[in-house]
Amino acid sequence: MRRAGRWLCGASAAMAAWLVASLYLGPATSPRLFPLPLHAVLVFAGIAAVLGAAGLALRGAPLPLVVLLAGAGAPLLNSRLIGSQDTEPAAELVFRIVREGSLHVPGPNTWSVALPDGTFASRYPIATPLLALPLALPASLGHGPLTLLFRNVMEKLSASVLTGAMLALLFVAMRRLADTRSALVAAALTLFGSAALPILGQALWQHTGAALSLSAGLAALGLPEGRRRSLAVGLCGGLAVACRPPDLPLALGLLWLDRRPLTALGAAIPVLLTLLYQEVMFGGALRTGYGQEASIGWRPPWPDGAIGFAGIWLSPPRGLLTCYPIVLFALWGLWRRRELRPLALAILAESLLIGCWWAWEGGWCPGPRMLSDATPLFGAGLAVALQSWAAWRRPARAALVVAAAVSCATGIALGYVVAKPAQYALFGALRDGAWTPRAWPLYADLFVR
């Protein structure tokens, strides 16, 4: 077994080296050239990651490394980018920073903001592309022309690896809360039965960076109590807010688990850097690329906020419970463990907040996206719930199995099935409204033609 694992690891390392060289040298213009054709890069990278995960598992390597590679490989194997115009500036910035030393983006377009000096800035926060920057270095330092296809490949690779890292860090936190088997099962369900596969690992969303930051914070809670742990947890919470400011309730839930002055100081560092960026770029620390939408985009709590809250959880195409019912057990796990209850309350507060946003439906991305940042928190609760599996009665076990099956079927369908125009118009573009039963992703995939 160890010998087979050694061969698999060697094959994975060779493929990874070839992949890095291909990205550095640029897209091939002929099959005779050394670099891989871009349309093959994603599948090649996914296979390399899966082989590496299998090889490390056979060799008895640390499980977080196995989870990292498996978590990175699974989103890559669909061989395409699932994003939107919201992720384009993040993909553009990783090249602009390295090749031009600039935080400006091309314009004018729907995702850029015109500045007084005639340049353009990203409409969205830039913390997520900064997290992806180390992963994009081979491509951004290389000679490949920045075509749309090349940029999309690099964006997808970066998002998938960030999601693998998120799962690995989450697994470290899970193993502190539950036994290893429960943590592994919870990590697998988080990968295939949540927003990790069809959203976080597909493009450089703000959610991708925020989820990684929250996972890192949960893992940091396993450090010995003291200044180092407090500073690490604070930095992670602040970075989540820098990636996506509306995630403040989730960050506060994390920070509450290590409520010390140094924790608040650590959280302030990324937030202050974000305010400094906004001061320099937009002329005001509290000004964002959203412009007036940042203020007029919010709706009153009643009745709009209540409708949004219900939609985030229960609407057929966007509802977290309708698409991923496994989160119900995750919430139970968070509430069952007294010290984790602040995380459950943070999810509730986040839901109430996002429910008041005018676009709670989640834009043009199929499936629930607005609460995808909370994926690590749900994962932690799921590990706690699975820990007590042996004491459950048969109906409770059956309910969990059904919820897991529906959740994984939805995640896999959204991640791997290419929706036809009629299907996407229902659960992606919400042609007939967010409350149309036919817009439930599994129904649309199976019956809408």
Side-chain angles (χ1 to χ4, degrees):
M1 297 291 286
R2 287 183 176 272
R3 185 175 182 181
R6 188 164 55 248
W7 279 102
L8 289 175
C9 288
S12 175
M15 294 175 73
W18 192 1
L19 175 67
V20 170
S22 180
L23 291 172
Y24 180 80
L25 294 173
T29 57
S30 165
R32 294 190 300 271
L33 296 181
F34 173 73
L36 281 173
L38 282 180
H39 65 265
V41 167
L42 295 178
V43 174
F44 193 84
I47 294 173
V50 171
L51 289 179
L56 289 174
L58 290 175
R59 296 193 66 184
L63 287 176
L65 289 177
V66 177
V67 173
L68 190 155
L69 290 174
L76 287 168
L77 289 176
N78 67 358
S79 73
R80 71 187 194 279
L81 175 79
I82 305 178
S84 79
Q85 65 179 16
D86 293 5
T87 69
E88 290 185 37
E92 189 77 32
L93 270 172
V94 295
F95 288 93
R96 291 273 173 155
I97 292 171
V98 176
R99 294 187 174 183
E100 302 178 15
S102 172
L103 290 175
H104 295 97
V105 296
N109 47 57
T110 56
W111 43 264
S112 65
V113 177
L115 302 177
D117 61 359
T119 59
F120 296 87
S122 171
R123 185 169 180 260
Y124 306 103
I126 65 168
T128 294
L130 291 178
L131 289 174
L133 189 58
L135 304 172
L137 277 179
S140 53
L141 286 172
H143 309 293
L146 188 52
T147 62
L148 177 61
L149 180 57
F150 192 51
R151 192 190 72 188
N152 286 351
V153 165
M154 197 60 246
E155 178 185 359
K156 175 61 176 287
L157 281 169
S158 301
S160 296
V161 175
L162 290 178
T163 298
M166 181 272 292
L167 284 167
L169 290 166
L170 178 58
F171 175 74
V172 171
M174 287 173 171
R175 202 156 52 171
R176 180 174 55 85
L177 299 170
D179 61 84
T180 299
R181 178 178 296 180
S182 298
L184 278 173
V185 174
L189 289 176
T190 300
L191 174 57
F192 293 105
S194 77
L197 176 64
I199 296 177
L200 302 179
Q202 298 299 329
L204 288 177
W205 298 96
Q206 300 172 49
H207 315 282
T208 303
L212 173 61
S213 304
L214 292 171
S215 278
L218 290 174
L221 286 168
L223 296 172
E225 288 190 18
R227 290 180 294 179
R228 186 175 63 166
R229 186 181 91 165
S230 297
L231 185 61
V233 173
L235 283 170
C236 293
L239 186 55
V241 176
C243 288
R244 188 170 180 247
D247 282 348
L248 179 61
L250 299 180
L252 290 176
L254 173 66
L255 298 179
W256 188 260
L257 302 184
D258 189 294
R259 44 192 184 277
R260 297 169 180 244
L262 194 57
T263 310
L265 178 62
I269 295 173
V271 174
L272 290 175
L273 289 175
T274 300
L275 296 178
L276 177 62
Y277 164 79
Q278 292 174 178
E279 174 69 35
V280 173
M281 196 66 73
F282 304 118
L286 298 180
R287 294 182 183 177
T288 70
Y290 279 89
Q292 287 189 332
E293 186 183 1
S295 55
I296 66 174
W298 298 101
R299 299 290 184 260
W302 183 266
D304 304 74
I307 294 173
F309 177 85
I312 286 172
W313 286 93
L314 298 172
S315 66
R318 295 287 193 262
L320 204 60
L321 284 177
T322 53
C323 292
Y324 306 124
I326 195 71
V327 302
L328 188 61
F329 293 89
L331 288 172
W332 177 81
L334 289 176
W335 196 257
R336 183 173 182 268
R337 189 74 66 90
R338 181 179 296 273
E339 68 269 22
L340 297 181
R341 287 182 181 178
L343 300 182
L345 295 175
I347 293 172
L348 173 62
E350 180 81 357
S351 304
L352 291 170
L353 177 65
I354 297 301
C356 295
W357 183 244
W358 72 274
W360 62 263
E361 297 96 331
W364 287 72
C365 182
R369 175 168 68 86
M370 288 302 187
L371 287 184
S372 57
D373 318 55
T375 297
L377 279 57
F378 288 122
L382 190 56
V384 173
L386 292 174
Q387 172 81 355
S388 59
W389 165 270
W392 290 12
R393 295 184 178 180
R394 185 173 296 178
R397 292 187 184 187
L400 175 62
V401 171
V402 171
V406 172
S407 300
C408 290
T410 303
I412 291 171
L414 291 175
Y416 294 120
V417 177
V418 179
K420 296 179 180 179
Q423 298 165 343
Y424 188 80
L426 276 173
F427 67 74
L430 299 179
R431 181 192 64 198
D432 295 338
W435 294 95
T436 304
R438 295 173 66 244
W440 185 47
L442 289 182
Y443 181 91
D445 277 335
L446 292 172
F447 301 108
V448 176
R449 294 290 182 265

